[in-house]
Amino acid sequence: MRIGILGGTGPQGRGLGRRFAMAGHEVLLGSRDASRAQQVAEELADAGNVSGVANAEAAQAELVVVAVPYEGHADLLTSLADALAGKVVVDCVNPLGFDAHGPYPLDVPDGSAAQEAQRILPGSTVVGAFHNVSARLLDDPSVTHIPGDVLVLGEDRDAIALVIDLVTALPGSRGLYGGRLRLARTVESLTANLIAVNRRYKTHSGISISGLPDVPAASAP
Amino acid sequence: MRIGILGGTGPQGRGLGRRFAMAGHEVLLGSRDASRAQQVAEELADAGNVSGVANAEAAQAELVVVAVPYEGHADLLTSLADALAGKVVVDCVNPLGFDAHGPYPLDVPDGSAAQEAQRILPGSTVVGAFHNVSARLLDDPSVTHIPGDVLVLGEDRDAIALVIDLVTALPGSRGLYGGRLRLARTVESLTANLIAVNRRYKTHSGISISGLPDVPAASAP
């Protein structure tokens, strides 16, 4: 599949781009700054077919992942609404603030970044996913097992199934339905708890759902 | 330890009471209705030392767990603030609403039930824990392995360590620090996502944190 990544030069976008390319997808890594995107795409050349482009060009892809910082989220999506119409848009933005006590969830008027995206993109099918995966693990090609589950949130069964299938690009990870879009805020915010876990236990944590013996990991290590 | 459970006749309180008693703790199962508490305590008699009492008597215990429905949370804690002063109070209340689309997180003026408890109980040390554990698994004595991690949230290291140790009463579960109280809302709300998972996959799910190979489960199965 041809996958565009808005904000593809940030840690999460870059890490997902690497894994999608390693899985054989064609990746259009987008950035505000196309020359910066080209530079990062070159750094990912060993992973597979990755091109660095402007965000507007990445938005032309078949499926588009939104991985920009929350500050620029609404403005960017507003500017690309026409290009994104009719597509599945995967939002993995975590609206977090940071202070002396660490990260905390920001108040989002729409409830969550994913709901904000759906409001701005009424012609697109927004799915929330990839919020809690360690960017560090994604972007390290020596990591062959990315533990944990990817909670996939949305309203449309076909789009959810498509994104659950996309999780197979992360070896060891499993895509699971995690609820409707109105439950996305919790999954976005959970990243703050995982950062607290990381600090206390010196690790790169993720989440898994227990009690699902019959739902296999997307791809065993 | 002598553990009081406010709302001990509800599913979560009853399940935790069973496990604490099985682990050798003395449990004061509290309820608005002491005779109802006595009845449930008799049902748990096979688990160990469980007494059914009024909530006010349960609040006299060494450590007190709050497992009431969110509707009655603030009023009950206000009425018991004096008895709870100087103690560790473990809040496991999930403020959720339900409609035709299933459960959803309620807006909580203080941010979370745990923060509400800490505001009402300035003389107590409030810790959030046991939000995401399946009451069904807790209350089934034939279940010898309760999978998943219990995220423990709070400000006080000693109180957090005490509650992490208490998680050893749940065989197979592991207690982990999950962040400060301001991150409790996310863990309380996550129960709505787990209910969505349960409905989709027909299970009793919980959460685990991946990426922590060196933090052992409290008690192996």
Side-chain angles (χ1 to χ4, degrees):
Chain A
M1 190 160 42
R2 199 168 191 217
I3 302 175
I5 303 182
L6 308 181
T9 59
Q12 199 75 359
R14 178 191 161 110
L16 289 171
R18 179 185 288 281
R19 294 295 169 171
F20 294 151
M22 287 171 74
H25 296 294
E26 180 185 348
V27 176
L28 297 181
L29 209 68
S31 171
R32 278 177 305 186
D33 177 352
S35 65
R36 170 79 185 129
Q38 283 164 10
Q39 184 189 325
V40 173
E42 279 165 31
E43 292 167 20
L44 299 182
D46 59 315
N49 187 346
V50 184
S51 316
V53 298
N55 279 326
E57 190 177 336
Q60 303 298 325
E62 192 179 341
L63 178 144
V64 178
V65 174
V66 187
V68 294
Y70 178 62
E71 300 80 68
H73 184 253
D75 286 349
L76 179 68
L77 294 183
T78 300
S79 73
L80 298 176
D82 288 345
L84 296 172
K87 295 178 183 173
V88 173
V89 173
V90 182
D91 200 295
C92 58
V93 173
N94 296 317
L96 299 181
F98 289 82
D99 64 16
H101 286 160
Y104 60 92
L106 294 174
D107 280 331
V108 176
D110 289 291
S112 61
Q115 287 164 294
E116 182 178 286
Q118 188 61 82
R119 175 181 55 79
I120 295 171
L121 306 173
S124 306
T125 303
V126 174
V127 172
F130 301 113
H131 300 95
N132 306 318
V133 188
S134 163
R136 191 81 68 90
L137 299 184
L138 288 175
D139 198 26
D140 181 347
S142 75
V143 171
T144 56
H145 180 74
I146 298 171
D149 293 322
V150 172
L151 290 176
V152 179
L153 300 106
E155 310 293 322
D156 183 284
R157 286 223 170 205
D158 291 340
I160 289 164
L162 178 70
V163 178
I164 284 177
D165 195 52
L166 193 59
V167 178
T168 56
L170 280 49
S173 284
R174 182 174 62 168
L176 295 175
Y177 174 67
R180 288 172 176 269
L181 279 192
R182 69 177 180 178
L183 301 186
R185 179 192 158 90
T186 301
V187 181
E188 296 171 3
S189 301
L190 190 60
T191 302
N193 300 78
L194 295 177
I195 292 171
V197 168
N198 291 347
R199 290 182 176 186
R200 176 64 60 95
Y201 299 105
K202 314 290 180 213
T203 187
H204 304 295
S205 63
I207 70 150
S208 298
I209 303 298
S210 60
L212 294 173
D214 299 334
V215 181
S219 176
Chain B
M1 189 159 44
R2 198 170 192 217
I3 302 174
I5 303 183
L6 309 180
T9 59
Q12 199 75 358
R14 178 190 161 111
L16 288 171
R18 178 184 290 281
R19 294 295 168 171
F20 294 151
M22 286 171 75
H25 297 293
E26 179 185 350
V27 176
L28 297 180
L29 207 69
S31 171
R32 278 176 305 187
D33 177 352
S35 66
R36 170 76 183 130
Q38 283 165 11
Q39 184 188 323
V40 173
E42 280 165 29
E43 293 167 19
L44 299 182
D46 59 314
N49 187 346
V50 184
S51 316
V53 298
N55 279 325
E57 189 175 338
Q60 303 297 326
E62 192 180 340
L63 177 144
V64 178
V65 174
V66 187
V68 294
Y70 178 63
E71 302 78 70
H73 183 254
D75 286 348
L76 179 68
L77 294 183
T78 301
S79 73
L80 298 176
D82 288 345
L84 296 172
K87 295 178 183 173
V88 173
V89 173
V90 182
D91 199 296
C92 59
V93 172
N94 295 316
L96 299 181
F98 288 82
D99 65 16
H101 286 160
Y104 60 93
L106 293 174
D107 280 331
V108 176
D110 289 291
S112 61
Q115 287 164 294
E116 181 178 286
Q118 188 62 81
R119 174 180 58 78
I120 295 171
L121 306 172
S124 306
T125 302
V126 173
V127 172
F130 302 114
H131 300 95
N132 307 318
V133 188
S134 163
R136 190 81 67 88
L137 298 184
L138 288 175
D139 198 26
D140 181 346
S142 75
V143 171
T144 57
H145 180 74
I146 298 171
D149 293 322
V150 172
L151 290 176
V152 178
L153 300 106
E155 310 292 323
D156 184 284
R157 285 221 172 206
D158 292 341
I160 290 164
L162 178 70
V163 178
I164 284 178
D165 195 52
L166 193 59
V167 178
T168 56
L170 279 49
S173 284
R174 181 173 64 168
L176 295 175
Y177 174 67
R180 289 172 175 269
L181 279 192
R182 68 177 179 177
L183 301 186
R185 180 192 157 90
T186 301
V187 181
E188 296 170 1
S189 301
L190 191 59
T191 303
N193 300 78
L194 294 176
I195 293 171
V197 168
N198 291 348
R199 289 182 177 186
R200 176 65 59 96
Y201 299 105
K202 314 290 180 212
T203 186
H204 304 295
S205 64
I207 70 150
S208 298
I209 302 298
S210 60
L212 294 172
D214 298 334
V215 181
S219 175

mmCIF file of all heavy atoms in Angstrom, chain A residues 127-163:
data_model
loop_
_atom_site.group_PDB
_atom_site.id
_atom_site.type_symbol
_atom_site.label_atom_id
_atom_site.label_comp_id
_atom_site.label_asym_id
_atom_site.label_seq_id
_atom_site.Cartn_x
_atom_site.Cartn_y
_atom_site.Cartn_z
ATOM 1 N N VAL A 127 -9.361 6.977 11.998
ATOM 2 C CA VAL A 127 -9.108 5.865 12.914
ATOM 3 C C VAL A 127 -7.953 6.291 13.821
ATOM 4 O O VAL A 127 -6.985 6.887 13.342
ATOM 5 C CB VAL A 127 -8.733 4.590 12.116
ATOM 6 C CG1 VAL A 127 -8.276 3.472 13.034
ATOM 7 C CG2 VAL A 127 -9.910 4.138 11.259
ATOM 8 N N GLY A 128 -8.042 6.021 15.090
ATOM 9 C CA GLY A 128 -6.936 6.288 16.009
ATOM 10 C C GLY A 128 -6.112 5.024 16.206
ATOM 11 O O GLY A 128 -6.679 3.943 16.368
ATOM 12 N N ALA A 129 -4.783 5.145 16.160
ATOM 13 C CA ALA A 129 -3.917 3.961 16.340
ATOM 14 C C ALA A 129 -2.474 4.390 16.546
ATOM 15 O O ALA A 129 -2.129 5.548 16.289
ATOM 16 C CB ALA A 129 -4.011 3.034 15.132
ATOM 17 N N PHE A 130 -1.650 3.479 16.979
ATOM 18 C CA PHE A 130 -0.192 3.658 17.107
ATOM 19 C C PHE A 130 0.185 4.729 18.137
ATOM 20 O O PHE A 130 1.255 5.326 18.037
ATOM 21 C CB PHE A 130 0.439 4.029 15.750
ATOM 22 C CG PHE A 130 0.207 3.018 14.666
ATOM 23 C CD1 PHE A 130 -0.586 3.317 13.557
ATOM 24 C CD2 PHE A 130 0.760 1.747 14.751
ATOM 25 C CE1 PHE A 130 -0.803 2.382 12.552
ATOM 26 C CE2 PHE A 130 0.556 0.801 13.747
ATOM 27 C CZ PHE A 130 -0.231 1.127 12.642
ATOM 28 N N HIS A 131 -0.677 4.968 19.128
ATOM 29 C CA HIS A 131 -0.399 6.020 20.103
ATOM 30 C C HIS A 131 0.692 5.646 21.086
ATOM 31 O O HIS A 131 1.423 6.502 21.564
ATOM 32 C CB HIS A 131 -1.659 6.317 20.923
ATOM 33 C CG HIS A 131 -2.818 6.776 20.108
ATOM 34 N ND1 HIS A 131 -3.786 5.924 19.652
ATOM 35 C CD2 HIS A 131 -3.154 8.009 19.652
ATOM 36 C CE1 HIS A 131 -4.692 6.615 18.964
ATOM 37 N NE2 HIS A 131 -4.331 7.876 18.947
ATOM 38 N N ASN A 132 0.741 4.368 21.441
ATOM 39 C CA ASN A 132 1.539 3.971 22.605
ATOM 40 C C ASN A 132 2.785 3.174 22.260
ATOM 41 O O ASN A 132 3.426 2.604 23.133
ATOM 42 C CB ASN A 132 0.674 3.125 23.558
ATOM 43 C CG ASN A 132 -0.615 3.813 23.940
ATOM 44 O OD1 ASN A 132 -0.628 5.013 24.214
ATOM 45 N ND2 ASN A 132 -1.714 3.092 23.933
ATOM 46 N N VAL A 133 3.121 3.130 20.977
ATOM 47 C CA VAL A 133 4.282 2.346 20.562
ATOM 48 C C VAL A 133 5.535 3.206 20.715
ATOM 49 O O VAL A 133 5.558 4.364 20.318
ATOM 50 C CB VAL A 133 4.139 1.913 19.089
ATOM 51 C CG1 VAL A 133 5.237 0.935 18.721
ATOM 52 C CG2 VAL A 133 2.776 1.298 18.842
ATOM 53 N N SER A 134 6.567 2.634 21.270
ATOM 54 C CA SER A 134 7.819 3.358 21.475
ATOM 55 C C SER A 134 8.455 3.736 20.141
ATOM 56 O O SER A 134 8.825 2.867 19.338
ATOM 57 C CB SER A 134 8.794 2.485 22.273
ATOM 58 O OG SER A 134 10.108 2.994 22.150
ATOM 59 N N ALA A 135 8.611 5.032 19.903
ATOM 60 C CA ALA A 135 9.261 5.494 18.670
ATOM 61 C C ALA A 135 10.692 4.972 18.601
ATOM 62 O O ALA A 135 11.210 4.669 17.527
ATOM 63 C CB ALA A 135 9.236 7.017 18.609
ATOM 64 N N ARG A 136 11.321 4.875 19.754
ATOM 65 C CA ARG A 136 12.700 4.397 19.807
ATOM 66 C C ARG A 136 12.807 2.971 19.264
ATOM 67 O O ARG A 136 13.707 2.652 18.492
ATOM 68 C CB ARG A 136 13.190 4.448 21.259
ATOM 69 C CG ARG A 136 14.665 4.226 21.452
ATOM 70 C CD ARG A 136 15.469 5.493 21.190
ATOM 71 N NE ARG A 136 15.192 6.494 22.202
ATOM 72 C CZ ARG A 136 15.883 6.622 23.352
ATOM 73 N NH1 ARG A 136 16.880 5.820 23.614
ATOM 74 N NH2 ARG A 136 15.576 7.570 24.208
ATOM 75 N N LEU A 137 11.881 2.121 19.667
ATOM 76 C CA LEU A 137 11.906 0.738 19.183
ATOM 77 C C LEU A 137 11.557 0.680 17.699
ATOM 78 O O LEU A 137 12.163 -0.076 16.935
ATOM 79 C CB LEU A 137 10.937 -0.145 19.980
ATOM 80 C CG LEU A 137 11.191 -0.275 21.490
ATOM 81 C CD1 LEU A 137 10.197 -1.259 22.112
ATOM 82 C CD2 LEU A 137 12.618 -0.728 21.778
ATOM 83 N N LEU A 138 10.580 1.484 17.288
ATOM 84 C CA LEU A 138 10.171 1.475 15.876
ATOM 85 C C LEU A 138 11.344 1.833 14.971
ATOM 86 O O LEU A 138 11.538 1.232 13.911
ATOM 87 C CB LEU A 138 9.056 2.494 15.634
ATOM 88 C CG LEU A 138 7.663 2.179 16.181
ATOM 89 C CD1 LEU A 138 6.742 3.375 15.948
ATOM 90 C CD2 LEU A 138 7.080 0.929 15.524
ATOM 91 N N ASP A 139 12.125 2.809 15.395
ATOM 92 C CA ASP A 139 13.154 3.358 14.505
ATOM 93 C C ASP A 139 14.490 2.636 14.619
ATOM 94 O O ASP A 139 15.462 3.048 13.990
ATOM 95 C CB ASP A 139 13.328 4.858 14.799
ATOM 96 C CG ASP A 139 14.027 5.576 13.647
ATOM 97 O OD1 ASP A 139 13.929 5.090 12.500
ATOM 98 O OD2 ASP A 139 14.682 6.606 13.901
ATOM 99 N N ASP A 140 14.534 1.561 15.414
ATOM 100 C CA ASP A 140 15.782 0.814 15.563
ATOM 101 C C ASP A 140 15.678 -0.484 14.763
ATOM 102 O O ASP A 140 15.000 -1.427 15.177
ATOM 103 C CB ASP A 140 16.014 0.510 17.047
ATOM 104 C CG ASP A 140 17.316 -0.251 17.290
ATOM 105 O OD1 ASP A 140 17.912 -0.761 16.302
ATOM 106 O OD2 ASP A 140 17.729 -0.340 18.453
ATOM 107 N N PRO A 141 16.331 -0.553 13.605
ATOM 108 C CA PRO A 141 16.153 -1.733 12.744
ATOM 109 C C PRO A 141 16.687 -3.010 13.379
ATOM 110 O O PRO A 141 16.336 -4.108 12.936
ATOM 111 C CB PRO A 141 16.935 -1.370 11.474
ATOM 112 C CG PRO A 141 17.857 -0.255 11.860
ATOM 113 C CD PRO A 141 17.223 0.454 13.019
ATOM 114 N N SER A 142 17.500 -2.887 14.438
ATOM 115 C CA SER A 142 17.995 -4.101 15.103
ATOM 116 C C SER A 142 16.933 -4.702 16.025
ATOM 117 O O SER A 142 17.100 -5.826 16.505
ATOM 118 C CB SER A 142 19.268 -3.790 15.898
ATOM 119 O OG SER A 142 18.964 -3.084 17.089
ATOM 120 N N VAL A 143 15.859 -3.946 16.290
ATOM 121 C CA VAL A 143 14.772 -4.465 17.130
ATOM 122 C C VAL A 143 13.847 -5.295 16.251
ATOM 123 O O VAL A 143 13.213 -4.771 15.333
ATOM 124 C CB VAL A 143 13.986 -3.314 17.799
ATOM 125 C CG1 VAL A 143 12.727 -3.833 18.489
ATOM 126 C CG2 VAL A 143 14.883 -2.570 18.791
ATOM 127 N N THR A 144 13.788 -6.593 16.528
ATOM 128 C CA THR A 144 12.999 -7.486 15.664
ATOM 129 C C THR A 144 11.685 -7.883 16.320
ATOM 130 O O THR A 144 10.904 -8.631 15.739
ATOM 131 C CB THR A 144 13.799 -8.762 15.339
ATOM 132 O OG1 THR A 144 14.184 -9.377 16.581
ATOM 133 C CG2 THR A 144 15.051 -8.432 14.543
ATOM 134 N N HIS A 145 11.459 -7.385 17.533
ATOM 135 C CA HIS A 145 10.217 -7.720 18.241
ATOM 136 C C HIS A 145 9.767 -6.462 18.974
ATOM 137 O O HIS A 145 10.444 -5.991 19.882
ATOM 138 C CB HIS A 145 10.474 -8.862 19.233
ATOM 139 C CG HIS A 145 9.261 -9.283 20.002
ATOM 140 N ND1 HIS A 145 8.252 -10.023 19.433
ATOM 141 C CD2 HIS A 145 8.892 -9.067 21.280
ATOM 142 C CE1 HIS A 145 7.311 -10.241 20.344
ATOM 143 N NE2 HIS A 145 7.673 -9.671 21.470
ATOM 144 N N ILE A 146 8.636 -5.912 18.548
ATOM 145 C CA ILE A 146 8.092 -4.716 19.186
ATOM 146 C C ILE A 146 6.922 -5.165 20.040
ATOM 147 O O ILE A 146 5.815 -5.394 19.540
ATOM 148 C CB ILE A 146 7.667 -3.690 18.119
ATOM 149 C CG1 ILE A 146 8.897 -3.275 17.312
ATOM 150 C CG2 ILE A 146 7.013 -2.474 18.771
ATOM 151 C CD1 ILE A 146 8.594 -2.445 16.095
ATOM 152 N N PRO A 147 7.139 -5.325 21.349
ATOM 153 C CA PRO A 147 6.121 -5.963 22.167
ATOM 154 C C PRO A 147 4.931 -5.045 22.376
ATOM 155 O O PRO A 147 5.042 -3.827 22.311
ATOM 156 C CB PRO A 147 6.843 -6.219 23.491
ATOM 157 C CG PRO A 147 7.894 -5.151 23.559
ATOM 158 C CD PRO A 147 8.304 -4.877 22.139
ATOM 159 N N GLY A 148 3.803 -5.656 22.619
ATOM 160 C CA GLY A 148 2.637 -4.864 22.982
ATOM 161 C C GLY A 148 1.548 -4.895 21.934
ATOM 162 O O GLY A 148 1.717 -5.418 20.832
ATOM 163 N N ASP A 149 0.424 -4.312 22.304
ATOM 164 C CA ASP A 149 -0.731 -4.255 21.425
ATOM 165 C C ASP A 149 -0.954 -2.824 20.956
ATOM 166 O O ASP A 149 -0.675 -1.881 21.684
ATOM 167 C CB ASP A 149 -1.979 -4.744 22.154
ATOM 168 C CG ASP A 149 -1.905 -6.224 22.488
ATOM 169 O OD1 ASP A 149 -1.382 -6.987 21.645
ATOM 170 O OD2 ASP A 149 -2.363 -6.626 23.570
ATOM 171 N N VAL A 150 -1.466 -2.700 19.748
ATOM 172 C CA VAL A 150 -1.850 -1.392 19.213
ATOM 173 C C VAL A 150 -3.370 -1.308 19.272
ATOM 174 O O VAL A 150 -4.064 -2.070 18.584
ATOM 175 C CB VAL A 150 -1.352 -1.222 17.768
ATOM 176 C CG1 VAL A 150 -1.913 0.045 17.156
ATOM 177 C CG2 VAL A 150 0.180 -1.207 17.741
ATOM 178 N N LEU A 151 -3.889 -0.426 20.109
ATOM 179 C CA LEU A 151 -5.342 -0.254 20.192
ATOM 180 C C LEU A 151 -5.800 0.608 19.024
ATOM 181 O O LEU A 151 -5.253 1.690 18.785
ATOM 182 C CB LEU A 151 -5.733 0.374 21.525
ATOM 183 C CG LEU A 151 -5.547 -0.543 22.734
ATOM 184 C CD1 LEU A 151 -5.868 0.199 24.028
ATOM 185 C CD2 LEU A 151 -6.427 -1.787 22.617
ATOM 186 N N VAL A 152 -6.781 0.122 18.301
ATOM 187 C CA VAL A 152 -7.290 0.776 17.092
ATOM 188 C C VAL A 152 -8.717 1.234 17.380
ATOM 189 O O VAL A 152 -9.581 0.425 17.719
ATOM 190 C CB VAL A 152 -7.251 -0.195 15.897
ATOM 191 C CG1 VAL A 152 -7.810 0.465 14.649
ATOM 192 C CG2 VAL A 152 -5.818 -0.690 15.664
ATOM 193 N N LEU A 153 -8.936 2.547 17.270
ATOM 194 C CA LEU A 153 -10.229 3.123 17.662
ATOM 195 C C LEU A 153 -10.925 3.744 16.470
ATOM 196 O O LEU A 153 -10.286 4.425 15.657
ATOM 197 C CB LEU A 153 -10.010 4.183 18.742
ATOM 198 C CG LEU A 153 -9.354 3.621 20.011
ATOM 199 C CD1 LEU A 153 -7.903 4.055 20.085
ATOM 200 C CD2 LEU A 153 -10.109 4.031 21.249
ATOM 201 N N GLY A 154 -12.209 3.540 16.369
ATOM 202 C CA GLY A 154 -12.936 4.148 15.265
ATOM 203 C C GLY A 154 -14.374 3.701 15.224
ATOM 204 O O GLY A 154 -14.839 2.959 16.097
ATOM 205 N N GLU A 155 -15.045 4.173 14.185
ATOM 206 C CA GLU A 155 -16.480 3.921 14.032
ATOM 207 C C GLU A 155 -16.762 2.963 12.880
ATOM 208 O O GLU A 155 -17.860 2.421 12.784
ATOM 209 C CB GLU A 155 -17.217 5.242 13.739
ATOM 210 C CG GLU A 155 -16.895 6.381 14.689
ATOM 211 C CD GLU A 155 -17.399 6.138 16.103
ATOM 212 O OE1 GLU A 155 -18.499 5.589 16.242
ATOM 213 O OE2 GLU A 155 -16.676 6.495 17.060
ATOM 214 N N ASP A 156 -15.785 2.795 11.989
ATOM 215 C CA ASP A 156 -16.019 2.084 10.733
ATOM 216 C C ASP A 156 -15.283 0.745 10.755
ATOM 217 O O ASP A 156 -14.053 0.691 10.824
ATOM 218 C CB ASP A 156 -15.518 2.961 9.577
ATOM 219 C CG ASP A 156 -15.780 2.349 8.220
ATOM 220 O OD1 ASP A 156 -15.059 1.400 7.834
ATOM 221 O OD2 ASP A 156 -16.696 2.824 7.532
ATOM 222 N N ARG A 157 -16.029 -0.319 10.672
ATOM 223 C CA ARG A 157 -15.442 -1.660 10.816
ATOM 224 C C ARG A 157 -14.388 -1.949 9.752
ATOM 225 O O ARG A 157 -13.358 -2.551 10.044
ATOM 226 C CB ARG A 157 -16.537 -2.730 10.718
ATOM 227 C CG ARG A 157 -17.387 -2.800 11.961
ATOM 228 C CD ARG A 157 -17.630 -4.268 12.339
ATOM 229 N NE ARG A 157 -18.249 -4.345 13.645
ATOM 230 C CZ ARG A 157 -18.153 -5.398 14.454
ATOM 231 N NH1 ARG A 157 -17.473 -6.471 14.092
ATOM 232 N NH2 ARG A 157 -18.733 -5.401 15.634
ATOM 233 N N ASP A 158 -14.661 -1.552 8.506
ATOM 234 C CA ASP A 158 -13.704 -1.847 7.441
ATOM 235 C C ASP A 158 -12.404 -1.086 7.651
ATOM 236 O O ASP A 158 -11.309 -1.623 7.450
ATOM 237 C CB ASP A 158 -14.299 -1.496 6.070
ATOM 238 C CG ASP A 158 -15.443 -2.431 5.687
ATOM 239 O OD1 ASP A 158 -15.525 -3.531 6.263
ATOM 240 O OD2 ASP A 158 -16.254 -2.050 4.814
ATOM 241 N N ALA A 159 -12.524 0.175 8.048
ATOM 242 C CA ALA A 159 -11.316 0.970 8.277
ATOM 243 C C ALA A 159 -10.527 0.417 9.464
ATOM 244 O O ALA A 159 -9.290 0.363 9.428
ATOM 245 C CB ALA A 159 -11.703 2.433 8.523
ATOM 246 N N ILE A 160 -11.239 -0.016 10.487
ATOM 247 C CA ILE A 160 -10.565 -0.602 11.645
ATOM 248 C C ILE A 160 -9.835 -1.881 11.235
ATOM 249 O O ILE A 160 -8.677 -2.097 11.607
ATOM 250 C CB ILE A 160 -11.589 -0.872 12.773
ATOM 251 C CG1 ILE A 160 -12.057 0.462 13.371
ATOM 252 C CG2 ILE A 160 -11.002 -1.776 13.855
ATOM 253 C CD1 ILE A 160 -13.317 0.355 14.196
ATOM 254 N N ALA A 161 -10.487 -2.696 10.427
ATOM 255 C CA ALA A 161 -9.861 -3.939 9.985
ATOM 256 C C ALA A 161 -8.615 -3.639 9.143
ATOM 257 O O ALA A 161 -7.587 -4.318 9.262
ATOM 258 C CB ALA A 161 -10.858 -4.777 9.182
ATOM 259 N N LEU A 162 -8.699 -2.608 8.311
ATOM 260 C CA LEU A 162 -7.551 -2.215 7.481
ATOM 261 C C LEU A 162 -6.362 -1.825 8.356
ATOM 262 O O LEU A 162 -5.218 -2.228 8.108
ATOM 263 C CB LEU A 162 -7.953 -1.033 6.588
ATOM 264 C CG LEU A 162 -6.879 -0.454 5.675
ATOM 265 C CD1 LEU A 162 -6.543 -1.426 4.547
ATOM 266 C CD2 LEU A 162 -7.335 0.893 5.087
ATOM 267 N N VAL A 163 -6.637 -1.054 9.404
ATOM 268 C CA VAL A 163 -5.544 -0.577 10.261
ATOM 269 C C VAL A 163 -5.018 -1.706 11.149
ATOM 270 O O VAL A 163 -3.808 -1.799 11.387
ATOM 271 C CB VAL A 163 -5.990 0.655 11.077
ATOM 272 C CG1 VAL A 163 -4.886 1.122 12.014
ATOM 273 C CG2 VAL A 163 -6.385 1.786 10.130
#
